[in-house]
């Protein structure tokens, strides 16, 4: 079981090139990848998305990429027009009486005077480093999501045990509640008839028919089946968040049906406790991949 919350960082460094990839993940219905990249590195989106998609199927993942590049490379370009503008400004200041000490050494230290070629998808060494860092970050994120997922698995398993125990309580009480309802209904029919005569067998039949309408045997059977399904799903290794979410909705529906059918204070109390646990499980499965 994997959670959808986590963080992973990967670094690849070689020959004056250091690439850092960070991944931050939260829950989402589908896989939603958001890139937080500098404009010059946007070409890396395809590589990053490929590495992330190989490891994850759900979750909103923010991707951060930074590159420190001190490699010796040719292709630096002088911005001649910008250099000429600085020279003109220097000449103007000299005419105003200032000493013009603007030399070559000072000029080339001015930002944007000399520009190195921007990185692109054709830089195989950089692309390989990005892929390596992304794979390392994805592995770290997957490890954290697994750790969190195992914690959720343990907690949900305990809550499934709690829910099953509550269903057993409902099952134990249901026959007695139905019997009491039948007796009360029979008595009310007799009181309503008063002095009028009516076949005793007919009274009991009508009471039994109405009592059957509040019986919850089918709902209890389905709830026990759902508890078994919970255990089967969470013991698997494939993405299970959507299955657990649907199953939790079904469990909640059965609990609501029992609560609406049973006019019994004991069962009502158990149903309310059951619904509280179901709501907690529902919130937890929202964060499972």
């Amino acid at each position: 079981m994997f959670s959808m919350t986590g963080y992973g960082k990967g670094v690849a460094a070689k020959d004056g090139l250091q690439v850092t990839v960070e991944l931050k993940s939260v829950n989402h219905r589908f896989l939603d990848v958001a890139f937080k990249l500098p404009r010059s590195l946007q070409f890396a989106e395809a590589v990053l998305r490929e590495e992330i998609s190989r490891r994850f199927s759900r979750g909103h993942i923010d991707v951060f990429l930074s590159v420190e590049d001190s490699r010796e490379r040719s292709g630096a370009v002088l911005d001649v027009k910008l250099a000429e503008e600085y020279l003109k400004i220097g000449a103007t200041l000299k005419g105003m009486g200032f000493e013009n000490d603007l030399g070559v050494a000072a000029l080339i230290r001015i930002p944007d005077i000399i520009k190195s070629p921007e990185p692109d998808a054709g830089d195989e060494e950089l692309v390989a480093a990005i892929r390596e860092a992304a794979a390392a970050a994805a592995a770290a994120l997957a490890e954290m999501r697994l750790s969190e997922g195992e914690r959720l698995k343990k907690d949900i398993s305990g809550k499934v045990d709690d829910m099953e125990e509550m269903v057993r309580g409902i099952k134990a009480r249901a026959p007695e509640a139905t019997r009491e309802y039948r007796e009360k209904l029979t008595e009310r029919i007799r009181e309503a008839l008063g002095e009028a005569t009516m076949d005793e067998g007919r009274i009991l039949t009508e009471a039994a028919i109405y009592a059957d309408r509040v019986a919850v045997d089918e709902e209890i059977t389905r709830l026990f089946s759902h508890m078994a399904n919970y255990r089967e799903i969470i013991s698997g290794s494939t993405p299970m968040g959507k299955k657990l979410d649907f199953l939790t909705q079904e469990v909640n529906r059965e609990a609501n049906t029992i609560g609406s059918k049973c006019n019994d204070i004991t069962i009502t109390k158990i149903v309310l406790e059951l619904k509280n646990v179901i709501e907690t499980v529902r919130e937890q499965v929202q964060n499972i991949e």
Side-chain angles (χ1 to χ4, degrees), residues 18 22 38 42 44 83 95 106 112 121 128 133 145 219 224 242 253 268 277 288:
Q18 179 170 302
E22 295 179 271
Q42 289 180 1
D112 298 329
R145 285 170 55 142
E219 289 78 10
F224 280 126
K242 292 182 179 179
R253 185 173 67 83
T268 298
V277 178
I288 295 174

Side-chain angles (χ1 to χ4, degrees), residues 8 27 62 82 96 101 105 123 129 133 153 161 169 179 194 219 270:
N27 63 312
D62 288 322
L82 184 59
M96 297 171 61
D101 58 353
D123 189 336
K153 178 179 179 179
D161 292 340
R179 184 190 63 78
E219 289 78 10
I270 297 175

Side-chain angles (χ1 to χ4, degrees), residues 32-103:
D32 178 42
V33 184
F35 296 96
K36 315 291 185 179
L37 311 182
R39 184 189 61 80
S40 61
L41 297 175
Q42 289 180 1
F43 71 90
E45 284 190 11
V47 174
L48 294 165
R49 187 182 297 277
E50 180 181 347
E51 291 298 322
I52 292 169
S53 300
R54 285 196 312 108
R55 300 297 297 265
F56 309 107
S57 61
R58 294 182 69 197
H60 173 86
I61 302 177
D62 288 322
V63 184
F64 303 87
L65 171 64
S66 63
V67 174
E68 296 179 16
D69 191 354
S70 58
R71 294 174 296 171
E72 293 184 2
R73 292 183 296 168
S74 60
V77 178
L78 172 65
D79 190 330
V80 176
K81 290 185 177 180
L82 184 59
E84 289 175 346
E85 290 296 325
Y86 277 107
L87 289 174
K88 289 178 181 179
I89 293 172
T92 300
L93 292 172
K94 183 178 179 180
M96 297 171 61
F98 293 97
E99 179 183 356
N100 187 356
D101 58 353
L102 183 62

